[in-house]
Amino acid sequence: MKALSLPTLRIIVLAAGFSARLGQPKALARVHGLTLLRRTLRVLAPFAASSKIIVVIPPAAGRYKIGSDVHSAAFVANSQRASGLSSSVRLGLHRARHSAGALLLPVDLVDLARRDIARLIACWRGARRRVVARSVRGEPGVPLILPRWLYARTGGLKGDQGLREVVRRLSKDSVSLVVLPSAEWDVDTPRDLEGARRRVRPRF
């Protein structure tokens, strides 16, 4: 008997933002000698054995590829990034359009742990038509897994609207929330970055 294969889950890392508050590209900011992009790819690599991680980056951003475990990533340039976050979400999902689900997350979750990503994916495997998202005070946040049947609904997103706008329109029984302690720390400002350098422990 032929073994049943697991449904395909594509991972999308959103790294095309302008990082205006930080004053430098978030993806290239370093903590313990690693860029945030490389740290993120290393955390996610075990969950992308059958397909490359989609990384949405700015145009002409060759620096993002240097030392970024290129063998595990497929870089996609977002020429429309000035129109906001929604353009990166749509581009990433277009590349993942044949997958059963897509895990989306920003590049700046500096303390992200594999065990939390594993919990998120395990929850989705048990209910593949549901959105599975990190719980942020009882509301959906990122990281977030979007099932394929919802991909088309992202077409109406504009500006900096993220997937939260899509999820808010769903019934409660279509969404599962998971507490992910390691995803609570993101890097938005120079102060956040300095705090991460002092307090976040090396994971590799």
Side-chain angles (χ1 to χ4, degrees):
M1 179 181 291
K2 187 177 179 180
L4 293 175
S5 59
L6 290 173
T8 305
L9 177 71
R10 292 301 301 269
I11 300 175
I12 302 169
V13 177
L14 303 173
F18 286 92
S19 309
R21 295 175 63 195
L22 184 61
Q24 62 174 299
K26 288 184 180 183
L28 302 181
R30 290 182 177 270
V31 175
H32 299 305
L34 292 177
T35 65
L36 293 185
L37 176 55
R38 192 169 188 186
R39 290 174 65 87
T40 301
L41 290 177
R42 285 194 175 187
V43 169
L44 298 172
F47 308 105
S50 61
S51 57
K52 289 190 174 185
I53 298 166
I54 298 166
V55 185
V56 184
I57 61 174
R63 291 181 301 162
Y64 285 57
K65 302 177 184 180
I66 298 172
S68 292
D69 301 326
V70 203
H71 62 282
S72 66
F75 293 91
V76 183
N78 180 7
S79 60
Q80 304 296 318
R81 68 177 185 143
S83 64
L85 172 64
S86 58
S87 63
S88 289
V89 171
R90 291 195 304 270
L91 180 57
L93 287 174
H94 177 72
R95 289 301 181 101
R97 62 190 180 277
H98 299 303
S99 62
L103 164 59
L104 295 100
L105 69 161
V107 74
D108 64 347
L109 301 179
V110 67
D111 202 29
L112 191 63
R114 285 175 183 158
R115 64 178 179 275
D116 280 347
I117 295 299
R119 291 176 59 227
L120 196 75
I121 293 174
C123 184
W124 176 75
R125 295 283 187 208
R128 289 189 289 119
R129 285 188 60 81
R130 287 190 176 195
V131 171
V132 180
R134 172 191 163 216
S135 177
V136 182
R137 295 181 293 277
E139 296 292 330
V142 290
L144 177 152
I145 298 178
L146 196 74
R148 184 177 179 180
W149 68 275
L150 285 172
Y151 290 1
R153 296 196 188 184
T154 64
L157 295 178
K158 296 179 181 179
D160 283 323
Q161 285 183 323
L163 291 171
R164 187 176 301 177
E165 301 303 319
V166 174
V167 178
R168 278 177 177 168
R169 302 186 188 109
L170 301 175
S171 61
K172 289 186 177 181
D173 59 1
S174 295
V175 182
S176 294
L177 300 181
V178 182
V179 176
L180 304 178
S182 71
E184 293 178 358
W185 194 337
D186 56 0
V187 174
D188 282 327
T189 66
R191 184 175 180 178
D192 294 337
L193 183 57
E194 287 305 314
R197 287 168 174 164
R198 290 194 306 269
R199 295 165 51 194
V200 172
R201 64 186 181 206
R203 293 194 181 277
F204 312 104

